[in-house]
Amino acid sequence: MTHQVRAVVARSKGAPVSLETIVVPDPGPGEALVKVEACGVCHTDLHYREGGINDEFPFLLGHEAAGVVESVGEGVTEVAPGDFVILNWRAVCGDCRACRRGRPQYCFNTHNAEQRMTLLDGTELSPALGIGAFAEKTLVAAGQCTKVDRAASAAAGLLGCGVMAGIGAAINTGNVGRGDTVAVIGCGGVGDAAIAGSRLAGAARIIAVDIDDRKLEKARSLGATHTVNSKTGDPVEAIRELTGGFGADVVVEAVGRPETYKQAFYARDLAGTVVLVGVPTPEMKLELPLLDVFGRGGSLKSSWYGDCLPSRDFPMLIDLYLQGRLDLDAFVTETIALEDVEKAFERMHGGDVLRSVVLL
């Protein structure tokens, strides 16, 4: 049996997305069919549309999603029909060298559904991050489904990518702890999540850096204790002034550009940590004096998906949300319909939204 559903498809590089009818098969062994309830509009989806990930068009966009399992294939024990789940793109294999070393959060062999979703004419679709959730239903590997409390709102899906990436960059990768000083450069969705994560971890001082005062105001509402507009002053000097002249214990770079990475590098304290969670483009190069890398000590890290383990982190963060300690709803600027995704991309360019969320 197959299912014909509406979905958002990017057919060619740079072209506007289209709302199409696609064909989704019933789940096979190890797979799950999920009725999508909500999906955030993430920059990564725009990167797919622009050909910045690869050229395997047409793409079925959307990946930051939550929904209800409709059916499962043979051998699936992780989830069952009726479960409310957050979709993730780290379906832990359990057998790669990272998993065997007891570090499944770095799984090097994550898997996706074996069957392909298609256009009506049979053309195979490439689902964004192996998910493809700008659709009424999507087919994923069962391991890409993480069951959480059904009391969570549509904002729960944001943990599937951007919010988890930011919170994890602070807590998992940066190891922010009680009393630490933290600076976050770039206050979009991921940067603001790093601010929220730093507050959860007990950071004493959280400095938000951006060129947009609107974003800095939002950062304060999510936990920033100080703000710096780097358009009007040197952010490195400002961060040092706010940290007794030393620099921050942890600096999260959530932009993904060489110039902001250098700011992060020099804005950290001796033996401090820099976490790169912003995604650079392939042509970008970084040049730093090697003596400075050696002499300043500490750690230079990159954070991929916030170094998260979905089965551990998603339920924990949903519990914090239900306790009122993590305001996921604050990340939702607007809710939209499937046919409004292209307009959401335009608003994203203008910096007008933290997250647009498609409700189905």
Side-chain angles (χ1 to χ4, degrees), residues 71 190 221 321 337:
S71 59
V190 173
S221 73
Y321 167 68

Side-chain angles (χ1 to χ4, degrees), residues 67-215:
V68 175
V69 175
E70 189 167 284
S71 59
V72 298
E74 181 184 348
V76 173
T77 58
E78 302 99 318
V79 291
D83 286 347
F84 181 65
V85 297
I86 299 172
L87 300 183
N88 72 78
W89 41 275
R90 176 166 284 157
V92 173
C93 75
D95 195 46
C96 70
R97 60 193 186 279
C99 289
R100 289 197 304 269
R101 293 174 67 196
R103 299 175 183 176
Q105 70 271 27
Y106 301 128
C107 179
F108 301 138
N109 192 30
T110 59
H111 48 281
N112 307 125
E114 292 289 336
Q115 299 181 89
R116 299 299 290 269
M117 294 176 277
T118 68
L119 297 173
L120 284 175
D121 64 5
T123 301
E124 291 188 348
L125 292 161
S126 299
L129 291 175
I131 294 176
F134 286 152
E136 292 167 325
K137 297 180 183 180
T138 190
L139 184 73
V140 295
Q144 293 180 275
C145 300
T146 304
K147 182 180 177 180
V148 297
D149 193 319
R150 186 65 183 86
S153 73
L158 301 184
L159 291 177
C161 188
V163 172
M164 185 68 255
I167 291 176
I171 295 177
N172 295 334
T173 315
N175 295 314
V176 174
R178 289 172 293 181
D180 281 352
T181 57
V182 179
V184 177
I185 299 177
C187 297
V190 173
D192 278 353
I195 288 168
S198 298
R199 180 170 67 174
L200 282 172
R205 183 163 297 187
I206 305 169
I207 305 162
V209 180
D210 204 280
I211 61 173
D212 188 331
D213 285 331
R214 297 172 301 170
K215 292 185 176 181

